[in-house]
Amino acid sequence: MNAPTILVIEDDPRLLDNVVDLLDLHGYKTLSALHGQQGLELARTHQPDLILCDVMMPEMNGYAVLEALRGDAATATVPFVFLTALSERSGQRYGMELGADDYLTKPFVETELLQSVEARLKRKQALALQQERAVDRFRNRLAQVVPHELRTPLTAIRGCTDLLLLDWHEMEPEVIHEMLSSIGEASLRLERLVDNYSLYVQVQLALADPEASTWFQATHRGPVDQVAGQVARACARCHDRLADLHLDVAPGPVQMPESHQRKLLEEVIGNAFKFSPAGTPVTITGQAVEASYELLIADQGSGMTAQQLAQTGHAFTQFERAQWEQRGLGLGLALAHSLAEIYAGRLNVQSQSGAGTTVRLVLPV
C-alpha cells in the first residue's frame, strides 16, 4: 500500500523543514512549498492526500489557497489543515466556512501534528470507503432493475409480433386487436422507461454543472394548479378511484415548464394512488405562500419505514416490489427530487409505516 502524500505550505523555511522531516520520519511522502502560489500549483499537479498550510503568507495567504482549492473539482475534497499562530475565533470560523478540516496553533508539539494528520487521513479513507460502497450498491441496483424492466415490454412486443406475423391470416379480428393493444401498451411502457432515464441523466448532469443548470432555471413558468388538476384526475381514473380524489389547488404559476411539472407530479401523485387502498382519500392541496407555491399530496396508504424514507432520493430503488407488483426503474421519487432541486425548489416526504405518506413540494413562483 502506497504511503499517503502530504503537501506542506509554510513560508518559514525552518518550520517547513522541521514538519517535512517529521512526516518523512513517520513514513509519509511529502511535498513542500514556501508560498501559497507554489503550494497551489503542487496541489493541482500532484493531488496530495492531505494539505498542511500556513495562514499568514505574503502575496497569497492560506485562506486564498483554500478557496482556490475548494473551487477546483480536482482538489475540492482534499483534507486541509491550517497551521497558524492566530488564535482568534473569528479567523478559525472563517477558515471552517471556506472548508478547512482542522486548525493547529503554533507552536505545536509533534504528537499534536501527527494525531491531526492521522485523524484527517483516517476520515478521508472512511469517506472513500463509504463512497465506494454507495457506488457498488448503485451498480447492483442498476444491474438488477434495468435489464429486467427493459426486457419485459420488449418480450411482450416481440411475442405478440411473432404470433401476428405467423398466424394473422387465421386470427379473429378481436384477437388481432387484443395483441395490437398489448404491443401498444408495452411500447408506451418502454417509452416511459427511456424518457424517465434520459431526463434523470440530463438533470443529474445539470446539477453537477452550474452553467448547465441555468438552462433549466431560465425556461418558462407554467400554471401548476392546472397541471396538478389534470395529472391528479388522470391518475385517479387510471386506478378507478375518482371518488377518492380530494383536490383543492389555488391558481399559481411556478418557475418550471409544464412538461417538467407534469413529470414530477405524475411520479408523486401516481405513488399516492398506487400505495394506498381504494376507498381511502388522496388529498391534494396547493396555495401560494410568499414567493413560493406549496403543494401537499397526502394519502392513507402503506407508508414507509424510516430506512425506506432515507432512500427516497436514491435512483433505481423500489420498496416491497413483490408485494406491490411495481413496474419501472425505481426512478420516480429520485427524478421528482432532482427536478425540484434543479428549479430551486424542495421536495420533502413525511411518512410512517402503516400510517400514510405526505409529500410537500415547494416551488418558486
Side-chain angles (χ1 to χ4, degrees):
M1 185 175 180
N2 293 331
T5 299
I6 301 175
L7 168 62
V8 185
I9 309 172
E10 169 61 62
D11 67 340
D12 182 339
R14 183 178 175 183
L15 179 57
L16 176 64
D17 289 341
N18 288 341
V19 172
V20 167
D21 288 344
L22 176 64
L23 295 173
D24 286 339
L25 183 63
H26 284 80
Y28 296 108
K29 293 181 180 179
T30 55
L31 300 166
S32 59
L34 279 166
H35 57 80
Q37 186 60 47
Q38 182 187 16
L40 182 59
E41 292 170 1
L42 286 173
R44 287 171 171 167
T45 301
H46 297 277
Q47 295 183 26
D49 298 291
L50 174 68
I51 297 173
L52 305 176
C53 183
D54 186 21
V55 173
M56 301 306 293
M57 295 182 292
E59 298 183 16
M60 189 178 200
N61 65 23
Y63 298 130
V65 172
L66 176 57
E67 190 169 12
L69 292 171
R70 292 296 182 252
D72 186 336
T75 56
T77 60
V78 177
F80 192 100
V81 177
F82 274 124
L83 308 176
T84 177
L86 300 175
S87 58
E88 293 89 342
R89 288 177 176 264
S90 59
Q92 292 187 8
R93 185 166 58 249
Y94 179 61
M96 293 300 183
E97 288 172 356
L98 289 176
D101 295 276
D102 199 2
Y103 263 84
L104 280 176
T105 304
K106 305 173 190 175
F108 46 80
V109 297
E110 293 182 359
T111 53
E112 288 179 322
L113 175 63
L114 293 172
Q115 287 171 359
S116 178
V117 166
E118 185 177 356
R120 294 307 118 199
L121 291 174
K122 281 185 177 179
R123 176 167 174 76
K124 180 186 178 183
Q125 186 177 18
L127 290 173
L129 182 60
Q130 186 179 8
Q131 285 183 328
E132 185 178 340
R133 287 174 176 170
V135 169
D136 286 341
R137 288 194 298 269
F138 181 83
R139 185 186 296 116
N140 290 335
R141 290 199 303 266
L142 194 64
Q144 292 170 5
V145 174
V146 174
H148 171 76
E149 288 303 325
L150 293 178
R151 284 196 187 104
T152 301
L154 284 173
T155 300
I157 293 170
R158 181 65 182 272
C160 290
T161 302
D162 287 346
L163 285 172
L164 285 169
L165 289 172
L166 185 65
D167 296 327
W168 65 270
H169 53 284
E170 297 179 3
M171 289 180 179
E172 296 293 330
E174 293 81 5
V175 176
I176 293 176
H177 183 271
E178 183 179 347
M179 287 194 172
L180 290 173
S181 296
S182 296
I183 292 173
E185 290 175 5
S187 299
L188 288 174
R189 179 180 172 186
L190 187 59
E191 181 182 37
R192 185 170 183 269
L193 292 174
V194 173
D195 287 347
N196 275 12
Y197 180 78
S198 298
L199 180 57
Y200 179 77
V201 171
Q202 287 178 352
V203 174
Q204 294 307 306
L205 291 174
L207 286 171
D209 182 355
E211 291 185 5
S213 66
T214 59
W215 180 87
F216 281 87
Q217 296 165 5
T219 51
H220 322 302
R221 61 183 184 172
V224 69
D225 53 302
Q226 296 180 22
V227 176
Q230 293 167 3
V231 170
R233 285 185 283 270
C235 289
R237 279 193 295 270
C238 181
H239 290 82
D240 196 22
R241 294 179 58 186
L242 272 173
D244 294 340
L245 175 61
H246 298 261
L247 187 65
D248 181 17
V249 287
V254 296
Q255 290 290 352
M256 180 185 286
E258 290 187 26
S259 61
H260 288 172
Q261 289 182 42
R262 189 173 303 279
K263 174 55 65 178
L264 191 162
L265 292 172
E266 282 174 353
E267 300 299 338
V268 175
I269 297 174
N271 280 349
F273 282 101
K274 183 190 300 183
F275 297 112
S276 64
T280 61
V282 173
T283 304
I284 302 169
T285 59
Q287 62 179 341
V289 180
E290 297 180 353
S292 300
Y293 191 94
E294 182 177 293
L295 269 169
L296 293 176
I297 300 98
D299 66 66
Q300 296 180 10
S302 59
M304 288 182 279
T305 65
Q307 182 180 6
Q308 291 171 339
L309 199 58
Q311 299 179 53
T312 54
H314 296 180
F316 306 105
T317 300
Q318 294 178 326
F319 307 126
E320 299 175 358
R321 180 183 176 93
Q323 178 182 348
W324 293 99
E325 297 181 358
Q326 297 179 57
R327 294 180 175 182
L329 295 174
L331 279 178
L333 275 179
L335 179 56
H337 272 283
S338 298
L339 281 171
E341 183 181 355
I342 200 70
Y343 288 102
R346 302 188 305 278
L347 190 148
N348 175 259
V349 183
Q350 294 182 331
S351 187
Q352 186 175 350
S353 183
T357 300
T358 298
V359 176
R360 179 173 176 262
L361 174 65
V362 180
L363 296 170
V365 301

